[in-house]
Amino acid sequence: MKKLAVAGGVNLLLGVPGVVPCFLVWYVMTNGPLAELGWTRREPTENDGMWLWLVVLVPVLTLFGLVWGLLNTWLSRRMTAAGWPAGPAPYWTLCAVAPLVPYLTLVLLSL
């Protein structure tokens, strides 16, 4: 259980800089595909087009995804080598949810 707490803490800390990619994904989705479907309204001052946002979004997401993936693969292998008995499902579920906690906390605080 201690090892899972360490992995959760590492991913929670990784979620702090992960607020930036989460916000960028939200912004692009609300001003692009979701606005086209009529589910959201576009930002009135957003008139630069989507190309600029994709040029910003792709490198940021790629960098965050690489750091997240490499770090969690390394932690997973260490936990398996140390005799982690539970299998990969609890570990990867925690690692997928924990980085979202800081972003969702900020969203809830802003309401």
Side-chain angles (χ1 to χ4, degrees), residues 19-40:
V19 168
V20 174
C22 288
F23 172 77
L24 289 175
V25 167
W26 170 82
Y27 193 83
V28 167
M29 291 298 290
T30 56
N31 284 305
L34 297 178
E36 292 293 326
L37 291 171
W39 295 355
T40 62

Side-chain angles (χ1 to χ4, degrees), residues 4-86:
L4 196 59
V6 169
V10 167
N11 278 288
L12 201 58
L13 288 174
L14 194 57
V16 173
V19 168
V20 174
C22 288
F23 172 77
L24 289 175
V25 167
W26 170 82
Y27 193 83
V28 167
M29 291 298 290
T30 56
N31 284 305
L34 297 178
E36 292 293 326
L37 291 171
W39 295 355
T40 62
R41 279 190 265 158
R42 290 187 192 273
E43 178 72 30
T45 60
E46 177 61 48
N47 59 2
D48 294 332
M50 296 307 289
W51 180 248
L52 175 66
W53 281 105
L54 292 178
V55 168
V56 172
L57 180 68
V58 170
V60 170
L61 274 178
T62 302
L63 180 64
F64 181 76
L66 280 173
V67 169
W68 181 87
L70 291 173
L71 182 66
N72 282 306
T73 301
W74 178 73
L75 278 173
S76 173
R77 287 183 182 161
R78 284 187 52 106
M79 287 178 66
T80 303
W84 172 251

